[in-house]
Amino acid sequence: MSYVLTETAAGYALLKASDKKIYKSTTLQTDLDSAEKVLSQFKIKAFSKFASAANALEEANLVNEGKVSDQLKKLLEEAKPDKKTTLIVDDTKLANSINKLGLSYSVVSDAASLDIYRAVREYLPELLPGMTDKDLSTMSLGLAHSIGRFKLKFSPDKVDVMIIQAIALLDDLDKELNTYAMRCKEWYGWHFPELAKIVVDSVAYAKIINKMGIRSNCEETDFSEILPEEIEQQVKAAAEVSMGTEITEDDLLNIRMLADQIIEFSQYREQLSNYLSARMKAIAPNLTTLVGELVGARLIAHAGSLISLAKAPASTIQILGAEKALFRALKTKHDTPKYGLIYHASLVGQATGKNKGKIARVLAAKAAVALRYDALAEERDDSGDYGLEVRSKNPKRHNHG
């Protein structure tokens, strides 16, 4: 006795073949070239209907992965005959999984079974009672859309688009913050020019403006939450002998609004930096451990995606970001650059001048392996152990030259 297992968009169908040795036939294409021949050869033995569209998607995904679902197992067990029966299956992985169940089936999945499936699928509506061609097409289309959507919907923790956007925004914020801080120091500098030399940090400078206002308030203002004690004393001493001009309340109001913007931007920048750090640890833990989240994120953004970067050879990763210098060097027949974005990694920064190129090369080679593990490993742990192991070995290498 021979059964043919076929998956449809409506459910699993088990067809009984009238020819027990059909899978051994060498004339299958001519034997099954019309609806009449197919209908005389196969009869429906059992049918297990999918309960819903979500159930159909789940079952289709399991079949694609070559796994046997509980529904399919139940169907095969219920249809199981007393004597040994041949079960013809389309997918080899699925055939192996059915074999492991230990049911009394002799599972076959070879080139001949593909010819049987071609004929069965072509005349499927005729083989399934109460199912029209239109019904089956509508169901198949719905299931195809669901599978397409499912495959596009990656784990939200591993979406590299978020990293590309975050690193671009972080760079923009840094530029804006620098511009705003410079403008604020120049503007308030007319009133209290000495302050910019004593307080270098832009955020602390903005906080002082907000708290103090005009410099004559400096003596009675407490800066202990913003500045260390010795710097606070210097600011107060400078305020007493300042050469700055007087400003109006209206001027101060606008300067304070700018100072508020600087404080808000810096707080958002910190929040964005933490978000980027968490995302990098989720998407590329080993790369992050090896080169740091900022360099890792810039490499991913430069390549366009994590997969594109993982496909790149180590030599490309090493000079990514130095394309202009590379092409200029090739054109003028000078030495090509030794590093691009990877130069900002802490391991390269720690190396001495003549060793920087060597470390960049070794680091790029290790980063290429880490990237492929991060992007392509099916059962990956997010601990970043590989990156830690390589990182601990690398300093020893450049210490020995």
Side-chain angles (χ1 to χ4, degrees):
M1 200 186 300
S2 285
Y3 287 161
V4 176
L5 174 68
T6 181
E7 318 87 45
T8 74
Y12 294 113
L14 203 59
L15 305 173
K16 185 179 177 183
S18 53
D19 179 0
K20 291 179 187 175
K21 301 281 174 77
I22 188 166
Y23 57 93
K24 290 185 178 174
S25 170
T26 53
T27 56
L28 276 171
Q29 286 185 336
T30 50
D31 292 349
L32 303 170
D33 61 358
S34 70
E36 291 75 31
K37 288 180 183 176
V38 172
L39 283 167
S40 65
Q41 181 63 254
F42 300 108
K43 294 283 180 285
I44 187 111
K45 166 76 179 167
F47 188 80
S48 177
K49 191 178 168 217
F50 296 144
S52 63
N55 177 219
L57 173 64
E58 194 183 328
E59 296 290 327
N61 282 322
L62 286 169
V63 168
N64 283 340
E65 289 166 18
K67 294 174 183 171
V68 181
S69 68
D70 293 339
Q71 187 174 344
L72 178 56
K73 187 180 176 185
K74 190 181 174 192
L75 171 76
L76 293 172
E77 280 173 346
E78 284 174 1
K80 185 172 71 175
D82 299 330
K83 53 188 175 179
K84 193 83 172 168
T85 304
T86 304
L87 180 68
I88 301 162
V89 180
D90 178 18
D91 184 58
T92 317
K93 274 165 81 180
L94 185 63
N96 291 335
S97 299
I98 292 170
N99 249 334
K100 287 174 188 168
L101 293 175
L103 304 171
S104 58
Y105 288 109
S106 168
V107 186
V108 175
S109 179
D110 55 17
S113 66
L114 292 177
D115 285 330
I116 296 170
Y117 270 91
R118 204 171 289 120
V120 165
R121 291 213 170 110
E122 192 174 345
Y123 303 108
L124 198 57
E126 288 87 345
L127 286 163
L128 301 175
M131 190 76 70
T132 66
D133 200 3
K134 193 181 174 209
D135 291 340
L136 211 55
S137 293
T138 310
M139 285 179 179
S140 299
L141 184 65
L143 183 57
H145 283 170
S146 298
I147 291 171
R149 272 197 296 273
F150 179 81
K151 287 196 170 176
L152 285 170
K153 201 161 78 181
F154 290 115
S155 160
D157 287 338
K158 301 197 176 153
V159 179
D160 44 12
V161 177
M162 301 299 166
I163 282 174
I164 295 167
Q165 295 298 331
I167 192 69
L169 181 55
L170 202 64
D171 290 342
D172 289 345
L173 272 174
D174 284 339
K175 282 180 197 163
E176 290 298 319
L177 263 169
N178 284 338
T179 310
Y180 277 31
M182 189 176 71
R183 187 67 56 222
C184 186
K185 283 178 183 178
E186 279 182 15
W187 201 352
Y188 193 70
W190 285 102
H191 177 58
F192 189 179
E194 296 82 1
L195 183 62
K197 288 177 186 152
I198 302 166
V199 180
V200 182
D201 181 59
S202 311
V203 180
Y205 190 94
K207 284 178 179 172
I208 288 169
I209 295 171
N210 263 354
K211 197 155 194 184
M212 175 175 69
I214 53 172
R215 68 168 187 265
S216 54
N217 298 335
C218 191
E219 191 54 47
E220 60 262 26
T221 310
D222 177 24
F223 298 118
S224 57
E225 288 177 15
I226 307 165
L227 300 170
E229 197 177 329
E230 63 273 17
I231 305 276
E232 187 179 347
Q233 292 308 319
Q234 285 177 37
V235 170
K236 288 185 175 177
E240 284 179 23
V241 294
S242 178
M243 304 285 288
T245 59
E246 294 303 315
I247 55 171
T248 65
E249 279 298 322
D250 204 25
D251 296 333
L252 184 62
L253 181 69
N254 281 283
I255 295 169
R256 270 184 162 155
M257 283 166 80
L258 180 59
D260 283 336
Q261 289 285 309
I262 292 166
I263 295 162
E264 277 176 36
F265 266 27
S266 68
Q267 284 169 350
Y268 176 54
R269 193 210 171 279
E270 195 178 333
Q271 189 186 328
L272 188 67
S273 180
N274 293 338
Y275 164 78
L276 181 66
S277 206
R279 271 298 159 107
M280 277 300 290
K281 281 181 182 131
I283 188 173
N286 292 292
L287 179 70
T288 306
T289 312
L290 213 48
V291 299
E293 55 267 357
L294 286 178
V295 177
R298 285 201 173 94
L299 287 168
I300 292 169
H302 203 85
S305 72
L306 181 67
I307 292 289
S308 302
L309 189 61
K311 287 177 183 171
S315 55
T316 303
I317 294 168
Q318 187 183 341
I319 57 161
L320 213 59
E323 289 83 357
K324 270 189 188 172
L326 172 70
F327 292 122
R328 197 189 311 120
L330 292 172
K331 201 173 173 184
T332 55
K333 302 213 167 32
H334 283 83
D335 289 344
T336 52
K338 290 177 182 168
Y339 29 64
L341 291 165
I342 211 162
Y343 178 79
H344 300 288
S346 58
L347 281 173
V348 179
Q350 288 160 13
T352 53
K354 65 180 189 337
N355 283 334
K356 278 194 192 316
K358 287 180 187 174
I359 289 295
R361 189 177 69 240
V362 173
L363 189 59
K366 299 296 180 190
V369 178
L371 269 161
R372 282 160 206 170
Y373 181 53
D374 286 335
L376 306 167
E378 284 185 7
E379 290 180 9
R380 187 197 80 180
D381 65 331
D382 289 352
S383 62
D385 286 346
Y386 171 78
L388 275 170
E389 188 188 324
V390 172
R391 202 181 161 87
S392 61
K393 284 179 188 169
N394 247 12
K396 292 173 194 166
R397 286 192 63 154
H398 79 247
N399 288 341
H400 296 301

